[in-house]
Amino acid sequence: MNETTNNGVLQEPQLINKIKVIDKIMTFTKIEKVELPKTVQEGEGFTILMVADGKVPFAQVIVRHTDGWEWIVREQFVTDEGKGHYRFHVPPEAYHGGMVYLQIEGCRVANIYAASPDDWIKVHRELQITKATKTHQIKQTQNKATPSITLGESNQPVIYFGIHKHNHQPYYNATDTDYWDGEKDSIFGQRGGPYTHFIPTAVRQYIDGGLAHAGLSTSWSGSLIEQLNRCAETGRGHGAFGNWSHELRNLAQAKTALGNPRIDFTAFGFCHPLMPLIPDRDIVGQIEWHRRVIHDTFGVKASEIIFPPETAFQPHIIPALKQAGVKVVIYDSIHQFRACKDYPYGGTDEGMLPPNLADQENPPVNDWLQLNNIWAASKISPQLLKPCVLYYTDHKGHRHEMIGIPAERYLGNEDARGGYGALQYEMVMGQIYDRLCETKRYDPKHPPFFILHSDGDNYGGGADSYYTCNTGGLVKMCQTDSRFQLITIKDYLKQFPVDPKNKVHVEAGSWAGADNGDPQFTKWFSWGEKDYSPDLNSWAVLTAFQNVVHSLEDIGHDQHVVETLKRLLYTAETSCYWYWTGQEVWDTQVTHATNKGMEMARGAMAQLLKSSKDKTGPTIFMPWVRPANPGGQDWGQGGLIDAAPEATFRTFVHDISGIKKVTFHYHDVNNASKKQVNMENGGGYPSRTNPAIIATQYKVVLPAGTGNIRYFIEAVDMKGNISYSPVGRIDIV
């Protein structure tokens, strides 16, 4: 066996020997300088000099073109000239005519098998390759030169934007993931394109159009992937999925000019849970399960970027996301706008109540813009449409931060209807461009960047015309109009690192398609003011089941049993089971999954309680408060009415060992003194679905004039185990 491939790829035996030597040498920490030739002609070959501050293990250059060409310059093509100087000899066969993108890099960890992506130090350069004369032409029939759209800092405003496509199908029976009928066959059969070749079709147009940094991010739930795999095995879905992942898997290897995926499979929750309303450990578990199925299906790692289901975000999920390896989260832009002190509330047409004063802690801005020729029920701020640092402070006072990427609510909503014909990109984004020019709020080091987010399989945004004709028009716009550039999230963040001073609070909420995605998550609390709410019933049942599964997992119960219970639990957390309130088939899904799980767990639960080894604290459902704006405005007949002045906080709590005490803690943001009050036990929720187990209701009422507070709930079980809820915020006028 040869030690290197035909393009210089080092094979394992030689790597091991090299590691033994380099392990003893101080490795570098930065690349100090790169020297390139001023001009290069096709077919000649050229050299690159890299100067580092120490010994560079595995120095190499990755050569890329926008047509998907990639060549790695290393080993026999690299000369170590000493004192951190490395010369790369780029052979003629490594590149062809047009713009070439160079990734010059080295790994600062001598043992490459122990290195993480962060251990690779990289710099990027661009180099124009002129066409060869007849005497120097080389034959490269599989490659072609294409127009090159470059990326760089510019004093003239540039609007950068990305595209995200989301694909999901729930399990239509939470207790039987193999459940199928004619309706399901039709639902899947109608989505043959979106689930197979539509995304690759669009991305190939980016490549062929010379968009060096263009690509898209996409989220796929585990429940969808598993069902597509069954379709492939059985011929279900009108036989449309025999080799459904083939094109996606192939194009998953395509890279942008900066070496990032053209198709970035984002992190996600396996069964599409509404993350702000489930426990941290389940957020982590769902993401970990999802990472495995993405790798197995598409042959690539799931991204460090997450598109949370329903774009539902609340700052308190940041610690769990970070624990799961997530570094960047996508959120709906309006929830940042509404958190500004001078936000111009759009009234009832906005579909949400006025923002609570406790959320409005971001500084005022002066560039509010009413978009025209698009449905936009409120104004937007162009200067805020850029990546930022989101934060959350827990009950111990620990601060947690994460990069946030805005998904522009109104542009994304219009793009979901089919691109051109629904969203006139130049006309609408041109308004953002013009406003930046008028207000002189353009920052060339941190230019605008936002995501157009939508379902990839519904409405116009899931049609063949969106991924073909619409994409062709989009590519042409980016080729000919320097104001607008399509770019991947990772390429943007590489070229324009987030300003660490741009720290932003974002109120809770989701995307516009979920009953306007209000901060109260009303879509998942339907009928909450009635005597009986199927949604509240499902949350009460789920809270109890979560505690059972967590308790058995924490004592190290039989792994197979625990994994089976977690499968039922994660399936029961599917947000769709709350979405269609009033339909029994959906309203009973959580109860059915819980009851099946309890049949399996009953014996183990009895043994655990008898052994007195319970070490898991109570499970506390995310507390909610009504009215949402005490002393302000609330929904009423005909529109907005005066809200009740006092605030009623409610939650569900459950523990297998029983609850000893539930305490509500709060303090005014302007007053360091902390207060607490015992919460009232309201008994188990009065279920109508016959669950085997259900959580207990707790509530507390705070009077008018309490002020702008931060609050959390503490629960103690009969064994002395303690749990805490996330920290909430509200202003009680």
Side-chain angles (χ1 to χ4, degrees), residues 678-711:
N678 291 334
M679 298 191 76
E680 176 186 339
N681 184 328
Y685 192 79
S687 178
R688 299 177 185 177
T689 58
N690 299 313
I693 191 169
I694 198 163
T696 301
Q697 307 172 84
Y698 286 86
K699 78 171 185 178
V700 69
V701 179
L702 296 186
T706 299
N708 187 344
I709 65 170
R710 303 291 184 265
Y711 63 88

Side-chain angles (χ1 to χ4, degrees), residues 584-600:
E584 184 178 357
V585 65
W586 298 108
D587 293 340
T588 57
Q589 291 283 355
V590 176
T591 295
H592 291 332
T594 296
N595 287 354
K596 182 175 181 178
M598 289 306 298
E599 289 178 8
M600 297 177 54

Side-chain angles (χ1 to χ4, degrees), residues 139-333:
K139 188 176 180 181
Q140 293 179 339
T141 56
Q142 78 265 38
N143 298 293
K144 58 182 179 180
T146 56
S148 294
I149 309 300
T150 59
L151 176 71
E153 195 173 305
S154 170
N155 289 325
Q156 293 300 314
V158 179
I159 307 295
Y160 294 100
F161 66 99
I163 291 175
H164 182 90
K165 287 298 181 182
H166 169 58
N167 289 316
H168 164 63
Q169 289 292 331
Y171 288 118
Y172 288 81
N173 185 329
T175 62
D176 180 8
T177 57
D178 197 39
Y179 173 75
W180 202 260
D181 59 19
E183 180 191 37
K184 310 306 169 293
D185 210 60
S186 178
I187 289 172
F188 278 75
Q190 294 170 10
R191 290 165 168 78
Y195 295 160
T196 58
H197 66 274
F198 280 4
I199 287 176
T201 295
V203 173
R204 286 194 187 96
Q205 290 191 70
Y206 305 158
I207 296 171
D208 293 342
L211 303 187
H213 305 281
L216 55 76
S217 57
T218 182
S219 48
W220 296 65
S221 68
S223 54
L224 168 61
I225 290 172
E226 288 189 339
Q227 290 179 91
L228 289 174
N229 287 339
R230 289 199 190 100
C231 286
E233 295 168 359
T234 63
R236 294 172 180 172
H238 298 178
F241 303 103
N243 195 13
W244 71 272
S245 63
H246 176 71
E247 289 193 51
L248 285 158
R249 190 180 181 95
N250 282 346
L251 212 56
Q253 305 301 321
K255 298 292 193 293
T256 67
L258 296 185
N260 292 312
R262 292 276 193 175
I263 300 176
D264 201 13
F265 292 91
T266 62
F268 200 70
F270 190 92
C271 283
H272 202 282
L274 201 74
M275 290 183 172
L277 300 183
I278 66 173
D280 281 3
R281 63 190 293 166
D282 289 358
I283 294 175
V284 175
Q286 291 250 14
I287 293 173
E288 289 177 344
W289 279 32
H290 178 261
R291 287 192 184 282
R292 291 198 292 269
V293 76
I294 289 294
H295 183 268
D296 291 346
T297 304
F298 302 114
V300 293
K301 291 182 179 180
S303 179
E304 301 88 8
I305 301 164
I306 191 166
F307 178 79
E310 304 285 0
T311 331
F313 177 75
Q314 194 161 0
H316 78 255
I317 71 173
I318 290 176
L321 296 181
K322 294 179 71 172
Q323 184 181 343
V326 173
K327 297 179 180 179
V328 180
V329 62
I330 299 171
Y331 65 91
D332 194 288
S333 62

Side-chain angles (χ1 to χ4, degrees), residues 433-489:
Y433 178 92
D434 292 343
R435 189 63 173 151
L436 287 167
C437 293
E438 292 167 7
T439 59
K440 296 180 172 54
R441 302 300 301 181
Y442 178 72
D443 177 0
K445 293 186 180 298
H446 308 99
F449 176 65
F450 51 83
I451 300 297
L452 304 180
H453 60 317
S454 65
D455 285 351
D457 60 346
N458 286 322
Y459 308 109
D464 175 81
S465 59
Y466 179 94
Y467 294 92
T468 54
C469 298
N470 173 73
T471 297
L474 198 64
V475 170
K476 184 176 181 180
M477 178 189 77
C478 293
Q479 290 174 332
T480 59
D481 194 331
S482 60
R483 296 177 300 168
F484 313 115
Q485 287 302 311
L486 178 63
I487 187 173
T488 66
I489 295 173

Side-chain angles (χ1 to χ4, degrees), residues 396-407:
K396 294 181 179 179
H398 297 157
R399 186 177 173 101
H400 308 266
E401 296 183 346
M402 173 170 286
I403 293 173
I405 304 290

Side-chain angles (χ1 to χ4, degrees), residues 3 17 53 73 109 114 121 124 129 144 173 211 251 329 376 393 442 473 485 498 537 563 602 619 635 651 657 687 714:
E3 291 184 333
N17 292 332
D53 64 349
V73 179
V109 175
I121 297 176
H124 294 87
I129 309 296
K144 58 182 179 180
N173 185 329
L211 303 187
L251 212 56
V329 62
T393 303
Y442 178 72
Q485 287 302 311
V498 178
N537 176 73
E563 290 298 299
R602 201 171 303 280
T619 301
W635 294 117
T651 188
S657 297
S687 178
E714 175 189 20

